[in-house]
Amino acid sequence: MNSSPSPQWRSEYSPLSRLRLLWKKKRAIGIGWLLLSAAAAGIVIKLPARYKADALILIDSQKIPDKLVSSTVNSSVQERISNINQSIMSSTRLKGIIDEFNLYHEYKNSAAPEEILEMMRKDITVAVDFEHEIAMQKRNAVGAIRVSYEGPVQ
């Protein structure tokens, strides 16, 4: 019979041995940790600061029966989306938002107001949202529109 211990009982695999190994290599582990942290911090500092906001607009169907009140909205969902898009992207509304939140201030001296408005229009997206079917079913909504803005942080 062999009296040597089996590999599962060897002391080099015990938790205490692993802790001793880490303690002996603490300087190498610390330097590696610092290098990785510095690299991650450098990458984060180089990335541009961006702001993102989303809004989900549910389009509800008429709640009152047509027998009691005639419908005031006779347009399709696509027409409603188009109207909302035009309302959001209007120059007067965008100018008000730009002035209120001091957006694109770095371009105010170098670019024409129309160019700034076009930059903001590119940062805004209006799209039909098909991902929120459960929310639409709970509220008996006809459709959903997602309005998103992603632009520079001031």
Side-chain angles (χ1 to χ4, degrees), residues 77-139:
V77 175
Q78 285 298 86
E79 290 175 9
R80 292 184 205 179
I81 292 170
S82 176
N83 290 340
I84 291 171
N85 194 11
Q86 288 175 357
S87 173
I88 292 170
M89 299 293 191
S90 70
S91 296
T92 54
R93 182 171 297 232
L94 292 180
K95 282 181 186 176
I97 292 170
I98 289 170
D99 293 339
E100 181 180 349
F101 296 106
N102 195 24
L103 300 174
Y104 305 99
H105 66 86
E106 66 271 8
Y107 299 109
K108 286 189 178 181
N109 294 330
S110 61
E114 294 80 20
E115 292 174 343
I116 296 173
L117 288 174
E118 282 305 312
M119 282 186 245
M120 187 162 188
R121 284 189 182 109
K122 288 179 185 174
D123 291 340
I124 296 174
T125 57
V126 178
V128 179
D129 193 327
F130 297 107
E131 295 178 9
H132 292 82
E133 291 183 34
I134 296 170
M136 290 189 302
Q137 289 172 356
K138 285 182 181 176
R139 296 188 40 105

Side-chain angles (χ1 to χ4, degrees), residues 3 5 9 12 17 27 29 38-39 52-53 56 66 69 94 101 104 107 112 120 133 140:
S3 63
W9 297 105
E12 63 193 28
S17 295
R27 183 173 291 172
I29 292 171
K52 184 172 183 177
L56 183 67
D66 284 334
V69 176
L94 292 180
F101 296 106
Y104 305 99
Y107 299 109
M120 187 162 188
E133 291 183 34
N140 295 327

